[in-house]
């Protein structure tokens, strides 16, 4: 049996990867499978949480016990997170968010014209994670905010800088390269906390990593709430 240490808590998790429309049939996307976010949703539900999963283009069955909100683009994800974050005890951003989107999406399918292809002009997407922190500070909420980051080198130094930049409480840093993390069954990470803690999570199933992340979240939740 699993300890119901998230009973009475509401958690919101984003998963998957955004798609930024170029025209009605094409997009700029990424290879995120959504598996780590789904594992976080399943494990949180098993520990008693009220779970909302905001899924961007994920091709996996809905996790048991979670309410699933489907989105596609970064702007849609941003709007869904803004709506769902209210009243959440913890918010976890595992989604791979496109940094840029096309300024406009063509109304009809772009065709070859024989001439040189038109460039796709890009504009920056909002940093959803950093925005969640700003909202929390403005409202003075007790809410634990968790980000994920993939780094290829200097994992700790780059992770620390990112943690500070985003302002979140925990940053789960995956070392990537060599086929790790994206689309695989197993995951490994170093979790950096704003309170200075550094926790290594060895390679293992994404469920095991998810449970370790929830342990760290539970330690930081205000006691006795609800
Ligand atoms: O800056 P970087 O993309 O490496 O940060 C990754 C973390 O920030 C992830 O938790 C991701 O969900 C989040 N993120 C975001 N909005 C963006 C880009 C990343 O919330 N536009």
């Amino acid at each position: 049996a699993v300890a119901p240490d998230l009973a009475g808590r509401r958690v919101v998790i984003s998963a998957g990867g955004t798609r930024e429309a170029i025209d009605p049939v094409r997009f700029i996307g990424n290879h995120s499978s959504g598996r780590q976010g789904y594992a976080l949703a399943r494990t949180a539900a098993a520990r008693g949480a009220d779970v909302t999963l905001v899924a961007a283009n994920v091709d996996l069955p809905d996790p048991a016990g979670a309410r699933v909100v489907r989105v596609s683009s970064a702007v849609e994800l941003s709007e869904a997170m803004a709506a769902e974050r209210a009243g959440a005890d913890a918010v976890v951003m595992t989604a791979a968010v496109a940094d840029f989107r096309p300024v406009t999406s063509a109304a009809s399918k772009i065709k070859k014209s024989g001439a040189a292809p038109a460039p796709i002009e890009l504009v920056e997407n909002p940093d959803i994670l950093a925005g969640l922190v700003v909202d929390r500070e403005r409202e003075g909420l007790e809410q634990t905010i968790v980000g994920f980051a993939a780094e290829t080198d200097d994992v700790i130094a780059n992770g620390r800088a990112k943690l500070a930049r985003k302002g979140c409480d925990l940053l789960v840093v995956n070392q990537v390269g060599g086929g790790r993390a994206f689309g695989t069954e197993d995951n490994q990470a170093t979790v950096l906390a704003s309170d200075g803690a550094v926790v290594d999570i060895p390679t293992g199933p994404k469920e095991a990593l998810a449970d370790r992340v929830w342990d760290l979240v539970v330690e930081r939740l205000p006691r006795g709430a609800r």
Side-chain angles (χ1 to χ4, degrees):
V2 188
D5 55 1
L6 286 169
R9 308 290 188 171
R10 178 170 142 69
V11 305
V12 180
I13 302 153
S14 72
T18 68
R19 291 181 179 179
E20 311 301 319
I22 296 170
D23 71 14
V25 297
R26 304 187 181 94
F27 57 84
I28 297 170
N30 61 70
H31 288 296
S32 179
S33 67
R35 285 201 184 98
Q36 186 61 65
Y38 274 51
L40 281 153
R42 270 195 303 276
T43 50
R47 292 165 75 148
D50 170 354
V51 181
T52 298
L53 178 61
V54 181
N57 311 296
V58 181
D59 187 20
L60 293 171
D62 286 358
R67 186 170 68 91
V68 181
V69 175
R70 294 192 181 276
V71 298
S72 186
S73 67
V75 167
E76 287 170 14
L77 175 59
S78 175
E79 286 166 358
M81 295 308 291
E84 298 298 337
R85 57 169 283 283
D89 298 287
V91 183
V92 184
M93 285 292 299
T94 73
V97 184
D99 290 322
F100 305 101
R101 67 175 180 275
V103 172
T104 55
S105 171
S108 39
K109 189 179 168 191
I110 298 167
K111 296 199 165 54
K112 283 178 282 195
S113 67
I120 297 170
E121 201 188 327
L122 300 175
V123 62
E124 199 165 343
N125 275 324
D127 189 317
I128 301 167
L129 178 59
L132 289 166
V133 173
V134 170
D135 291 343
R136 175 189 67 183
E137 302 303 309
R138 193 187 53 236
E139 295 172 15
L141 300 180
E142 296 220 67
Q143 185 179 69
T144 302
I145 301 180
V146 184
F148 272 66
E151 300 288 347
T152 52
D153 52 293
D154 292 334
V155 173
I156 304 290
N158 287 326
R160 276 257 161 253
K162 189 164 289 184
L163 178 71
R165 204 158 60 235
K166 306 264 186 184
C168 54
D169 304 294
L170 296 171
L171 189 71
V172 183
V173 189
N174 293 127
Q175 178 139 27
V176 291
R180 274 183 285 190
F182 265 28
T184 60
E185 296 297 338
D186 282 2
N187 210 353
Q188 145 291 327
T190 301
V191 185
L192 305 176
S194 58
D195 56 26
V198 180
V199 178
D200 274 309
I201 304 178
T203 302
K206 289 184 176 180
E207 243 86 15
L209 189 143
D211 266 320
R212 290 294 293 124
V213 170
W214 289 126
D215 292 344
L216 297 170
V217 169
V218 166
E219 284 170 20
R220 285 161 179 81
L221 288 172
R223 275 172 205 286
R226 313 268 160 114

mmCIF file of all heavy atoms in Angstrom, residues 14 16 74 77 81 92-100 124-132 146-151 162 165-166 168 170-172, ligand 1:
data_model
loop_
_atom_site.group_PDB
_atom_site.id
_atom_site.type_symbol
_atom_site.label_atom_id
_atom_site.label_comp_id
_atom_site.label_asym_id
_atom_site.label_seq_id
_atom_site.Cartn_x
_atom_site.Cartn_y
_atom_site.Cartn_z
ATOM 1 N N SER A 14 1.801 19.404 -16.124
ATOM 2 C CA SER A 14 1.762 19.493 -17.589
ATOM 3 C C SER A 14 2.645 18.404 -18.170
ATOM 4 O O SER A 14 3.654 18.016 -17.563
ATOM 5 C CB SER A 14 2.231 20.864 -18.081
ATOM 6 O OG SER A 14 3.636 20.998 -17.920
ATOM 7 N N GLY A 16 3.918 16.316 -22.121
ATOM 8 C CA GLY A 16 3.922 16.275 -23.586
ATOM 9 C C GLY A 16 4.760 17.377 -24.196
ATOM 10 O O GLY A 16 5.641 17.942 -23.551
ATOM 11 N N ALA A 74 1.732 26.198 -27.255
ATOM 12 C CA ALA A 74 2.251 26.790 -26.014
ATOM 13 C C ALA A 74 1.271 27.811 -25.442
ATOM 14 O O ALA A 74 1.093 27.888 -24.222
ATOM 15 C CB ALA A 74 3.610 27.448 -26.279
ATOM 16 N N LEU A 77 -1.436 25.918 -23.796
ATOM 17 C CA LEU A 77 -0.923 25.342 -22.549
ATOM 18 C C LEU A 77 -0.840 26.419 -21.470
ATOM 19 O O LEU A 77 -1.231 26.194 -20.315
ATOM 20 C CB LEU A 77 0.455 24.705 -22.800
ATOM 21 C CG LEU A 77 1.184 24.155 -21.580
ATOM 22 C CD1 LEU A 77 0.369 23.081 -20.856
ATOM 23 C CD2 LEU A 77 2.543 23.580 -21.988
ATOM 24 N N MET A 81 -2.830 26.299 -17.952
ATOM 25 C CA MET A 81 -2.122 26.335 -16.660
ATOM 26 C C MET A 81 -2.595 27.517 -15.827
ATOM 27 O O MET A 81 -2.755 27.400 -14.610
ATOM 28 C CB MET A 81 -0.605 26.408 -16.872
ATOM 29 C CG MET A 81 0.014 25.191 -17.534
ATOM 30 S SD MET A 81 -0.389 23.600 -16.773
ATOM 31 C CE MET A 81 0.506 23.728 -15.221
ATOM 32 N N VAL A 92 3.566 21.117 -11.457
ATOM 33 C CA VAL A 92 4.768 20.506 -12.027
ATOM 34 C C VAL A 92 4.728 20.660 -13.539
ATOM 35 O O VAL A 92 3.783 20.209 -14.199
ATOM 36 C CB VAL A 92 4.864 19.005 -11.660
ATOM 37 C CG1 VAL A 92 6.171 18.414 -12.183
ATOM 38 C CG2 VAL A 92 4.749 18.796 -10.155
ATOM 39 N N MET A 93 5.749 21.296 -14.080
ATOM 40 C CA MET A 93 5.837 21.519 -15.535
ATOM 41 C C MET A 93 6.829 20.521 -16.141
ATOM 42 O O MET A 93 8.037 20.741 -16.088
ATOM 43 C CB MET A 93 6.329 22.943 -15.808
ATOM 44 C CG MET A 93 5.314 24.050 -15.599
ATOM 45 S SD MET A 93 3.946 24.042 -16.785
ATOM 46 C CE MET A 93 4.836 24.286 -18.320
ATOM 47 N N THR A 94 6.289 19.431 -16.710
ATOM 48 C CA THR A 94 7.185 18.524 -17.441
ATOM 49 C C THR A 94 7.076 18.739 -18.946
ATOM 50 O O THR A 94 7.865 18.168 -19.696
ATOM 51 C CB THR A 94 6.887 17.027 -17.159
ATOM 52 O OG1 THR A 94 5.674 16.660 -17.813
ATOM 53 C CG2 THR A 94 6.779 16.743 -15.676
ATOM 54 N N ALA A 95 6.097 19.518 -19.390
ATOM 55 C CA ALA A 95 5.902 19.677 -20.834
ATOM 56 C C ALA A 95 7.114 20.336 -21.489
ATOM 57 O O ALA A 95 7.739 21.225 -20.913
ATOM 58 C CB ALA A 95 4.648 20.510 -21.106
ATOM 59 N N ALA A 96 7.417 19.860 -22.679
ATOM 60 C CA ALA A 96 8.442 20.493 -23.506
ATOM 61 C C ALA A 96 7.739 21.590 -24.309
ATOM 62 O O ALA A 96 6.933 21.300 -25.206
ATOM 63 C CB ALA A 96 9.082 19.462 -24.426
ATOM 64 N N VAL A 97 8.004 22.826 -23.938
ATOM 65 C CA VAL A 97 7.313 23.973 -24.533
ATOM 66 C C VAL A 97 8.198 24.554 -25.628
ATOM 67 O O VAL A 97 9.382 24.819 -25.386
ATOM 68 C CB VAL A 97 7.038 25.058 -23.470
ATOM 69 C CG1 VAL A 97 6.226 26.198 -24.061
ATOM 70 C CG2 VAL A 97 6.337 24.468 -22.249
ATOM 71 N N ALA A 98 7.638 24.758 -26.803
ATOM 72 C CA ALA A 98 8.416 25.377 -27.877
ATOM 73 C C ALA A 98 8.816 26.782 -27.459
ATOM 74 O O ALA A 98 7.989 27.539 -26.947
ATOM 75 C CB ALA A 98 7.578 25.444 -29.156
ATOM 76 N N ASP A 99 10.064 27.115 -27.641
ATOM 77 C CA ASP A 99 10.521 28.457 -27.273
ATOM 78 C C ASP A 99 9.932 29.513 -28.203
ATOM 79 O O ASP A 99 9.722 30.649 -27.800
ATOM 80 C CB ASP A 99 12.051 28.527 -27.333
ATOM 81 C CG ASP A 99 12.694 27.716 -26.215
ATOM 82 O OD1 ASP A 99 12.139 27.720 -25.100
ATOM 83 O OD2 ASP A 99 13.726 27.064 -26.465
ATOM 84 N N PHE A 100 9.673 29.117 -29.459
ATOM 85 C CA PHE A 100 9.194 30.079 -30.465
ATOM 86 C C PHE A 100 7.990 29.509 -31.207
ATOM 87 O O PHE A 100 7.844 28.298 -31.311
ATOM 88 C CB PHE A 100 10.301 30.364 -31.488
ATOM 89 C CG PHE A 100 11.587 30.821 -30.868
ATOM 90 C CD1 PHE A 100 12.653 29.939 -30.705
ATOM 91 C CD2 PHE A 100 11.732 32.122 -30.414
ATOM 92 C CE1 PHE A 100 13.842 30.345 -30.115
ATOM 93 C CE2 PHE A 100 12.919 32.549 -29.824
ATOM 94 C CZ PHE A 100 13.981 31.658 -29.678
ATOM 95 N N GLU A 124 8.733 34.763 -29.757
ATOM 96 C CA GLU A 124 8.997 33.969 -28.556
ATOM 97 C C GLU A 124 7.705 33.626 -27.820
ATOM 98 O O GLU A 124 6.800 34.462 -27.706
ATOM 99 C CB GLU A 124 9.943 34.753 -27.632
ATOM 100 C CG GLU A 124 10.630 33.866 -26.625
ATOM 101 C CD GLU A 124 11.820 34.554 -25.957
ATOM 102 O OE1 GLU A 124 12.315 35.571 -26.486
ATOM 103 O OE2 GLU A 124 12.239 34.054 -24.906
ATOM 104 N N ASN A 125 7.617 32.395 -27.319
ATOM 105 C CA ASN A 125 6.491 32.005 -26.482
ATOM 106 C C ASN A 125 6.709 32.487 -25.049
ATOM 107 O O ASN A 125 7.842 32.698 -24.630
ATOM 108 C CB ASN A 125 6.337 30.477 -26.491
ATOM 109 C CG ASN A 125 5.529 29.988 -27.669
ATOM 110 O OD1 ASN A 125 4.575 30.647 -28.083
ATOM 111 N ND2 ASN A 125 5.905 28.852 -28.219
ATOM 112 N N PRO A 126 5.619 32.609 -24.274
ATOM 113 C CA PRO A 126 5.791 32.967 -22.866
ATOM 114 C C PRO A 126 6.515 31.843 -22.122
ATOM 115 O O PRO A 126 6.374 30.670 -22.491
ATOM 116 C CB PRO A 126 4.346 33.099 -22.358
ATOM 117 C CG PRO A 126 3.517 32.295 -23.295
ATOM 118 C CD PRO A 126 4.208 32.387 -24.630
ATOM 119 N N ASP A 127 7.296 32.189 -21.088
ATOM 120 C CA ASP A 127 7.865 31.173 -20.203
ATOM 121 C C ASP A 127 6.792 30.866 -19.159
ATOM 122 O O ASP A 127 6.551 31.653 -18.239
ATOM 123 C CB ASP A 127 9.154 31.668 -19.552
ATOM 124 C CG ASP A 127 9.861 30.536 -18.814
ATOM 125 O OD1 ASP A 127 9.175 29.758 -18.111
ATOM 126 O OD2 ASP A 127 11.091 30.427 -18.946
ATOM 127 N N ILE A 128 6.125 29.748 -19.334
ATOM 128 C CA ILE A 128 4.961 29.407 -18.508
ATOM 129 C C ILE A 128 5.382 29.176 -17.059
ATOM 130 O O ILE A 128 4.747 29.672 -16.121
ATOM 131 C CB ILE A 128 4.244 28.170 -19.086
ATOM 132 C CG1 ILE A 128 3.791 28.464 -20.527
ATOM 133 C CG2 ILE A 128 3.055 27.766 -18.213
ATOM 134 C CD1 ILE A 128 3.346 27.232 -21.306
ATOM 135 N N LEU A 129 6.462 28.442 -16.884
ATOM 136 C CA LEU A 129 6.961 28.134 -15.535
ATOM 137 C C LEU A 129 7.300 29.418 -14.773
ATOM 138 O O LEU A 129 6.866 29.607 -13.625
ATOM 139 C CB LEU A 129 8.188 27.217 -15.661
ATOM 140 C CG LEU A 129 8.910 26.810 -14.391
ATOM 141 C CD1 LEU A 129 7.992 26.066 -13.430
ATOM 142 C CD2 LEU A 129 10.123 25.943 -14.742
ATOM 143 N N ALA A 130 8.054 30.296 -15.394
ATOM 144 C CA ALA A 130 8.416 31.555 -14.735
ATOM 145 C C ALA A 130 7.160 32.366 -14.425
ATOM 146 O O ALA A 130 7.067 33.015 -13.369
ATOM 147 C CB ALA A 130 9.380 32.351 -15.620
ATOM 148 N N GLY A 131 6.181 32.311 -15.321
ATOM 149 C CA GLY A 131 4.918 33.032 -15.106
ATOM 150 C C GLY A 131 4.136 32.488 -13.919
ATOM 151 O O GLY A 131 3.515 33.256 -13.170
ATOM 152 N N LEU A 132 4.183 31.166 -13.733
ATOM 153 C CA LEU A 132 3.495 30.553 -12.583
ATOM 154 C C LEU A 132 4.095 31.063 -11.277
ATOM 155 O O LEU A 132 3.376 31.311 -10.296
ATOM 156 C CB LEU A 132 3.621 29.027 -12.646
ATOM 157 C CG LEU A 132 2.822 28.323 -13.741
ATOM 158 C CD1 LEU A 132 3.304 26.886 -13.909
ATOM 159 C CD2 LEU A 132 1.326 28.352 -13.426
ATOM 160 N N VAL A 146 7.425 23.120 -9.535
ATOM 161 C CA VAL A 146 8.511 22.238 -9.968
ATOM 162 C C VAL A 146 8.706 22.354 -11.473
ATOM 163 O O VAL A 146 7.738 22.281 -12.240
ATOM 164 C CB VAL A 146 8.187 20.763 -9.621
ATOM 165 C CG1 VAL A 146 9.350 19.842 -9.982
ATOM 166 C CG2 VAL A 146 7.811 20.620 -8.146
ATOM 167 N N GLY A 147 9.958 22.527 -11.885
ATOM 168 C CA GLY A 147 10.285 22.532 -13.308
ATOM 169 C C GLY A 147 11.139 21.331 -13.661
ATOM 170 O O GLY A 147 11.726 20.687 -12.784
ATOM 171 N N PHE A 148 11.206 21.045 -14.934
ATOM 172 C CA PHE A 148 12.084 20.010 -15.464
ATOM 173 C C PHE A 148 13.042 20.676 -16.441
ATOM 174 O O PHE A 148 12.684 21.666 -17.082
ATOM 175 C CB PHE A 148 11.283 18.922 -16.191
ATOM 176 C CG PHE A 148 10.819 17.811 -15.276
ATOM 177 C CD1 PHE A 148 9.892 18.058 -14.275
ATOM 178 C CD2 PHE A 148 11.324 16.531 -15.415
ATOM 179 C CE1 PHE A 148 9.466 17.047 -13.420
ATOM 180 C CE2 PHE A 148 10.901 15.506 -14.562
ATOM 181 C CZ PHE A 148 9.978 15.764 -13.574
ATOM 182 N N ALA A 149 14.233 20.141 -16.555
ATOM 183 C CA ALA A 149 15.175 20.696 -17.519
ATOM 184 C C ALA A 149 16.054 19.594 -18.054
ATOM 185 O O ALA A 149 16.407 18.668 -17.330
ATOM 186 C CB ALA A 149 16.031 21.780 -16.866
ATOM 187 N N ALA A 150 16.363 19.675 -19.304
ATOM 188 C CA ALA A 150 17.292 18.735 -19.925
ATOM 189 C C ALA A 150 18.591 19.486 -20.190
ATOM 190 O O ALA A 150 18.581 20.564 -20.775
ATOM 191 C CB ALA A 150 16.695 18.211 -21.231
ATOM 192 N N GLU A 151 19.678 18.922 -19.721
ATOM 193 C CA GLU A 151 20.984 19.555 -19.937
ATOM 194 C C GLU A 151 21.936 18.511 -20.506
ATOM 195 O O GLU A 151 21.875 17.342 -20.130
ATOM 196 C CB GLU A 151 21.560 20.083 -18.614
ATOM 197 C CG GLU A 151 20.703 21.137 -17.910
ATOM 198 C CD GLU A 151 20.690 22.495 -18.606
ATOM 199 O OE1 GLU A 151 21.535 22.730 -19.501
ATOM 200 O OE2 GLU A 151 19.834 23.308 -18.258
ATOM 201 N N LYS A 162 19.421 27.873 -14.056
ATOM 202 C CA LYS A 162 18.037 27.814 -14.552
ATOM 203 C C LYS A 162 17.051 27.895 -13.402
ATOM 204 O O LYS A 162 16.031 28.588 -13.481
ATOM 205 C CB LYS A 162 17.829 26.533 -15.365
ATOM 206 C CG LYS A 162 16.503 26.485 -16.081
ATOM 207 C CD LYS A 162 16.469 25.422 -17.155
ATOM 208 C CE LYS A 162 17.340 25.804 -18.339
ATOM 209 N NZ LYS A 162 17.252 24.832 -19.439
ATOM 210 N N ARG A 165 16.814 31.431 -12.414
ATOM 211 C CA ARG A 165 16.162 32.225 -13.456
ATOM 212 C C ARG A 165 14.650 32.035 -13.434
ATOM 213 O O ARG A 165 13.884 32.979 -13.576
ATOM 214 C CB ARG A 165 16.728 31.797 -14.812
ATOM 215 C CG ARG A 165 16.616 32.820 -15.908
ATOM 216 C CD ARG A 165 17.635 32.555 -17.008
ATOM 217 N NE ARG A 165 17.472 31.253 -17.627
ATOM 218 C CZ ARG A 165 18.449 30.345 -17.723
ATOM 219 N NH1 ARG A 165 19.647 30.607 -17.263
ATOM 220 N NH2 ARG A 165 18.229 29.187 -18.305
ATOM 221 N N LYS A 166 14.226 30.790 -13.251
ATOM 222 C CA LYS A 166 12.784 30.491 -13.272
ATOM 223 C C LYS A 166 12.129 30.826 -11.943
ATOM 224 O O LYS A 166 10.923 31.089 -11.897
ATOM 225 C CB LYS A 166 12.569 29.009 -13.583
ATOM 226 C CG LYS A 166 13.248 28.535 -14.855
ATOM 227 C CD LYS A 166 12.335 28.544 -16.033
ATOM 228 C CE LYS A 166 13.010 27.917 -17.247
ATOM 229 N NZ LYS A 166 12.163 28.008 -18.433
ATOM 230 N N CYS A 168 11.563 28.716 -9.484
ATOM 231 C CA CYS A 168 10.755 27.612 -8.938
ATOM 232 C C CYS A 168 11.447 27.001 -7.717
ATOM 233 O O CYS A 168 12.571 27.365 -7.370
ATOM 234 C CB CYS A 168 10.460 26.573 -10.021
ATOM 235 S SG CYS A 168 11.896 25.930 -10.858
ATOM 236 N N LEU A 170 11.798 23.520 -7.069
ATOM 237 C CA LEU A 170 12.571 22.324 -7.422
ATOM 238 C C LEU A 170 12.778 22.318 -8.928
ATOM 239 O O LEU A 170 11.855 22.656 -9.681
ATOM 240 C CB LEU A 170 11.811 21.042 -7.045
ATOM 241 C CG LEU A 170 11.519 20.783 -5.568
ATOM 242 C CD1 LEU A 170 10.571 19.592 -5.427
ATOM 243 C CD2 LEU A 170 12.813 20.525 -4.793
ATOM 244 N N LEU A 171 13.980 21.934 -9.346
ATOM 245 C CA LEU A 171 14.233 21.734 -10.774
ATOM 246 C C LEU A 171 14.794 20.328 -10.948
ATOM 247 O O LEU A 171 15.806 19.983 -10.337
ATOM 248 C CB LEU A 171 15.216 22.780 -11.311
ATOM 249 C CG LEU A 171 15.375 22.775 -12.834
ATOM 250 C CD1 LEU A 171 14.114 23.318 -13.531
ATOM 251 C CD2 LEU A 171 16.592 23.602 -13.267
ATOM 252 N N VAL A 172 14.085 19.520 -11.721
ATOM 253 C CA VAL A 172 14.490 18.142 -11.964
ATOM 254 C C VAL A 172 15.305 18.141 -13.248
ATOM 255 O O VAL A 172 14.765 18.383 -14.330
ATOM 256 C CB VAL A 172 13.258 17.226 -12.109
ATOM 257 C CG1 VAL A 172 13.691 15.776 -12.295
ATOM 258 C CG2 VAL A 172 12.336 17.369 -10.896
HETATM 259 O O1 LIG B 1 14.320 26.974 -20.206
HETATM 260 P P1 LIG B 1 13.968 25.545 -20.418
HETATM 261 O O2 LIG B 1 13.055 25.314 -21.586
HETATM 262 O O3 LIG B 1 15.118 24.603 -20.405
HETATM 263 O O4 LIG B 1 13.145 25.160 -19.102
HETATM 264 C C1 LIG B 1 12.462 23.955 -18.972
HETATM 265 C C2 LIG B 1 11.355 24.096 -17.973
HETATM 266 O O5 LIG B 1 10.616 25.296 -18.216
HETATM 267 C C3 LIG B 1 10.332 22.980 -18.075
HETATM 268 O O6 LIG B 1 9.747 22.784 -16.792
HETATM 269 C C4 LIG B 1 9.326 23.552 -19.061
HETATM 270 O O7 LIG B 1 8.051 22.949 -18.890
HETATM 271 C C5 LIG B 1 9.317 25.012 -18.688
HETATM 272 N N1 LIG B 1 9.058 25.955 -19.801
HETATM 273 C C6 LIG B 1 7.921 26.738 -19.769
HETATM 274 N N2 LIG B 1 7.665 27.632 -20.770
HETATM 275 C C7 LIG B 1 8.535 27.778 -21.798
HETATM 276 C C8 LIG B 1 9.717 27.001 -21.836
HETATM 277 C C9 LIG B 1 9.939 26.094 -20.830
HETATM 278 O O8 LIG B 1 7.137 26.609 -18.818
HETATM 279 N N3 LIG B 1 8.280 28.650 -22.758
#
